[in-house]
Every structure is written in C-alpha cells, then in structure tokens.
Amino acid sequence: MTTNKKALISGAGIAGLALAYWLDHHGFRPTVIERAPHIRHGGYAVDFRGEALDVLDRMDLLEPIRALDTEMGDAAMVDADGRQYATLPAAVFAGDLEVPKGELTRLLYAAAQDRAEYLFGDSIATVEQDADGVDVTFENGPPRRFDLLVGADGLHSRTRALAFGSEEHFVRSLGIHTAIFSLPNYLGLHRTGQLYVSPGKAASMFAENSDGRARAALHFASEELAYDRHDSGELQRIVAERFAGEGWEIPRLLTEMRKAEDFWFDVNAQVVMDTWSRSRVVLLGDAGYCAAPTSGRGTSQALIGAYVLAGELAQARGNHTEAFTAYEHAMRPFVTEHQAVGREGAERFFMSAPTQEVLDMLAANAPENTRTEAIRLPDYAAH
Ligand SMILES: Cc1cc2nc3c(=O)[nH]c(=O)nc-3n(C[C@H](O)[C@H](O)[C@H](O)COP(=O)(O)OP(=O)(O)OC[C@H]3O[C@@H](n4cnc5c(N)ncnc54)[C@H](O)[C@@H]3O)c2cc1C
C-alpha cells in the first residue's frame, strides 16, 4: 500500500500544477498553496523541447497546447534609428513549440483543478520535520501536518529558504537583469518582433497575435545589484537609468514600462544545490535547479521533474527517501546539461550586436531534434 499520501506543494506554477496532476494520478492527496490570490495569468512566451512534449501528451494536453503555438516568424535586428540590419531566425528564439506562459498555466490548472485542494493567497511560514511528518504553519491559515512538502515556489523559493538555508548559498547570478511588461502594439507587429542590441544591453518588442498588445523586454548586464525585489518604483528607476540615452524605441518603452500593470523584473540566475531533498522536503523546478531564462529549458525541466518525482514516489510506494534519491538520479544529468546551455546563452549576451553570419550559424546549430540522451521517461504505472 502506498504511504506518505498527504503532500503539500508550495507554488501553483508550472511545476506545482503538473505535480498535483501526477500525484493525484498515482493515488496521493496533494494540497497546493499559492501566494497569489489566483492562478497567475500573465507572462512571457515559453518554449518546450523534446521530452517535455511527451509529458504533455501523457497528460492529454499536447493537442490543446499545440493549438496555442505562437507560430513566431523571423524577427528583425534593428539599429538605433530603427533600421533593420539583420534577420533573427525564429529557430534561434523559439523551441519546438512556443506558447504564452499564462495560457499554459491556465490549461495545466484546468487539468489539475479537481485533483488537489488549493489554498490561494497564502504562503508557508515555518516548517518543522520529525520522523513521521512535516508540521507547517501558514501566514494566514491554521497550522497543518503533512507527510511530505514539495517546494515548487520558483527561483526565490520560500521552501528552500526554510528547509535548506538562505538564497545566497544557492542562487548564482549570470550577470544579466531583465524587465518584462506588456504594452500597446503600436509598431503593428504580428507574430514577429524587433530586437535592439547595444553594448551590455538588449531590448525587444514582440507580438504573438493581433490582440493589440505586445511584450517588451529590457535586459542589461550588471554586477550584483542591491534592491527591494517588491518595490516596482525602485526597479523601474534602475531600468530607466541603465537605458537612458539609448536609441530605437527605448524612450517610448520606458514610458510604457511605468504604466504597465504586469511589470516584472528579476536577475537571470541559476539554482545550484548538492541535493534537492532534506528528509521529507524536496524541491522541484526553478526552486531546486533553475537553469535561467537564457537556457530556454526551465518549463521543460519543471514538467519533466514533476512527472518523474510523482512517478518515483508511486514506484517506491511512498518511501520518500528511496523516491527522492531516484528522482535526483534521473534528473541530475538533464539539469546539468540545461544549466550549461543557460550559462552559454548568458555569455552570448555579452557579444556586441551579432552579424547575419553569426545569427545564421546559431539557427543552423539549433538542433532539429531537441531530444537529449540525458533523460529517459519511464512509464510509471498508476497505483
Ligand atoms: C523572462 C523569462 C523567460 C523565460 N523563457 C522561457 C522559455 O522560453 N522556455 C522555458 O522553458 N522556460 C522559460 N523561462 C523559465 C520558466 O518560466 C520557468 O523555468 C518555469 O516557469 C519554472 O516553473 P516553476 O513552476 O518551477 O516556477 P514558477 O513558474 O516561478 O512558479 C512558482 C510559483 O510559486 C509561487 N510562489 C512563489 N513563492 C511562493 C510562496 N512563498 N508561497 C506560495 N507560492 C509561492 C509563484 O507565485 C508561482 O506561481 C523563462 C523565464 C523567464 C523569467
């Protein structure tokens, strides 16, 4: 009989929702706690690769997700006056399948909604483990006891901080900060974008469809910066200072940034840990092994990690020690490969504006088959 059935998942992002789906599938009883008052709808476009498509297929989500494919075409590299000097092939920036993250989250939630208990607008506050379970207190709700706790709460994971130690031990900056926000599509882009590069900086505006909205991203290379992550005003001032005096559409983008309701800012970083579990607490997705946006692999890691973690728990009949070891053994080479891609992507960022030759070479090197030898997806029988 499977034991350790009551699992608390912190975070209803890609990893947490996928895990709720798979744990229920294997006969566990997941509870999901999400700090936001509801599922997060916004976000940039994310791409999937290789084996992640197999996981979606096993969840019967591949076709609905394919229907959301942004089908991005090539984009334009532009100079300070907005003149196109090169073409950025779509193969360089979109994977096997690219979808808006908010739409993906909505579909995953629809699939996992009836498979778990959801606590929105709350967060874990303290965690105490003993031989038989995990006592958790919450910022708002009453304390509860679970068999297992899974931290799927992203790069700045509260679970990781509580069970493993503070962020500076595990989060490694790749030296790039990024701001993202939506804005009116005043350039009239459709399934394309424009990208402007100057030394140590890059800015882009992309539009997936013709709904009148576009997404802007402003990236800059920098040393470690000290700021309050939750103070949008301070973050926007930092971005505006870095991009002051730049050409192309930058002045307009900075104006739109201050009006945006979905402004997002963070450092591009990786999470590097010797182990992803501590007794009854385990980490999943960005919380445990973020590969950084420059890898383009984080969503695939989150989905595959959830599938493997739930499958190993089922296979080990809830013996969490055995299951967490097997999960780590299966995932570690895959994560190592992706984190190397993330670091290479960050190094490329520090190149000056690339020539057409370099862009064509990058497109030619984008593998048609993005499957890897670094992971095998077992067929875990439902229990
Ligand atoms: C700019 C950018 C572009 C990207 N592009 C790509 C791409 O093209 N392809 C790709 O594969 N990946 C991409 N990624 C990475 C991808 O978004 C992540 O790797 C992926 O979403 C990881 O999922 P996750 O569930 O682990 O974390 P997240 O998606 O970060 O979800 C974490 C969840 O936990 C919640 N949470 C946080 N703290 C708490 C708390 N204390 N209590 C409760 N809940 C909490 C959050 O609200 C959120 O819902 C990109 C990331 C960024 C930032």
Side-chain angles (χ1 to χ4, degrees):
M1 203 185 77
T2 298
T3 53
N4 278 334
K5 286 193 137 192
K6 274 170 39 189
L8 177 65
I9 304 169
S10 175
I14 310 297
L17 292 172
L19 184 68
Y21 177 98
W22 285 111
L23 281 180
D24 171 77
H25 173 83
H26 289 299
F28 293 82
R29 297 209 313 275
T31 296
V32 182
I33 181 158
E34 166 59 49
R35 192 172 47 191
H38 46 68
I39 288 297
R40 290 175 177 267
H41 299 296
Y44 35 84
V46 292
D47 47 6
F48 296 102
R49 318 214 169 211
E51 291 71 13
L53 300 177
D54 298 343
V55 174
L56 290 173
D57 196 25
R58 290 175 197 192
M59 298 171 86
D60 288 328
L61 288 179
L62 189 53
E63 287 321 308
I65 298 258
R66 276 201 196 287
L68 298 172
D69 193 346
T70 55
E71 293 175 6
M72 273 293 180
D74 298 345
M77 302 286 310
V78 292
D79 64 16
D81 297 319
R83 278 190 297 263
Q84 179 169 353
Y85 64 87
T87 299
L88 178 65
V92 176
F93 61 90
D96 291 349
L97 173 60
E98 185 187 64
V99 300
K101 185 174 175 185
E103 296 288 300
L104 169 66
T105 308
R106 191 179 52 72
L107 270 183
L108 281 174
Y109 183 53
Q113 191 169 9
D114 298 332
R115 293 173 175 262
E117 173 195 17
Y118 287 86
L119 309 170
F120 285 102
D122 205 350
S123 167
I124 57 172
T126 63
V127 175
E128 292 271 347
Q129 303 194 56
D130 57 38
D132 305 316
V134 191
D135 288 308
V136 180
T137 65
F138 299 95
E139 283 179 359
N140 300 320
R144 285 172 64 172
R145 186 170 170 83
F146 295 88
D147 298 319
L148 303 171
L149 168 62
V150 184
D153 37 11
L155 177 63
H156 303 290
S157 169
R158 166 80 60 93
T159 312
R160 189 184 60 227
L162 290 172
F164 295 80
S166 61
E167 197 159 305
E168 70 262 21
H169 299 301
F170 309 114
V171 176
R172 296 196 187 158
S173 164
L174 294 183
I176 303 170
H177 286 78
T178 296
I180 295 185
F181 49 93
S182 63
L183 72 169
N185 182 8
Y186 68 91
L187 291 180
L189 304 166
H190 180 61
R191 292 195 163 145
T192 186
Q194 294 188 3
L195 186 80
Y196 166 74
V197 179
S198 75
K201 285 171 214 152
S204 65
M205 184 164 155
F206 276 83
E208 282 115 28
N209 47 40
S210 46
D211 67 356
R213 302 292 294 170
R215 271 177 299 111
L218 299 167
H219 314 269
F220 60 90
S222 80
E223 67 294 352
E224 299 265 332
L225 295 176
Y227 50 79
D228 174 356
R229 214 157 45 80
H230 305 288
D231 182 346
S232 296
E234 181 186 2
L235 301 176
Q236 290 175 0
R237 271 194 301 281
I238 293 173
V239 178
E241 275 167 27
R242 296 281 167 158
F243 281 87
E246 292 287 342
W248 181 55
E249 298 293 329
I250 299 294
R252 171 93 190 244
L253 294 191
L254 294 178
T255 304
E256 296 293 346
M257 172 181 78
R258 293 188 194 93
K259 293 193 256 173
E261 288 176 4
D262 57 357
F263 172 78
W264 176 92
F265 178 89
D266 211 340
V267 64
N268 287 245
Q270 299 191 324
V271 175
V272 181
M273 304 183 76
D274 292 340
T275 175
W276 300 325
S277 64
R278 186 152 282 177
S279 193
R280 290 175 173 271
V281 181
V282 66
L283 300 174
L284 172 66
D286 278 6
Y289 36 85
C290 180
T294 44
S295 76
R297 306 292 206 276
T299 312
S300 298
Q301 283 192 167
L303 272 174
I304 291 171
Y307 175 81
V308 172
L309 177 57
E312 294 297 342
L313 275 164
Q315 195 136 295
R317 307 245 158 208
N319 177 335
H320 62 280
T321 310
E322 202 179 295
F324 293 169
T325 305
Y327 158 66
E328 189 155 337
H329 185 73
M331 290 295 293
R332 186 63 79 170
F334 189 55
V335 166
T336 303
E337 185 176 290
H338 289 174
Q339 292 196 325
V341 174
R343 287 192 297 275
E344 281 161 27
E347 276 159 27
R348 264 207 305 274
F349 180 82
F350 293 101
M351 292 188 328
S352 49
T355 60
Q356 189 66 55
E357 203 181 353
V358 168
L359 295 171
D360 289 343
M361 194 184 71
L362 289 174
N365 287 343
E368 268 172 42
N369 181 357
T370 52
R371 289 181 184 276
T372 157
E373 295 296 312
I375 187 108
R376 288 272 162 274
L377 291 186
D379 273 320
Y380 300 108
H383 288 263

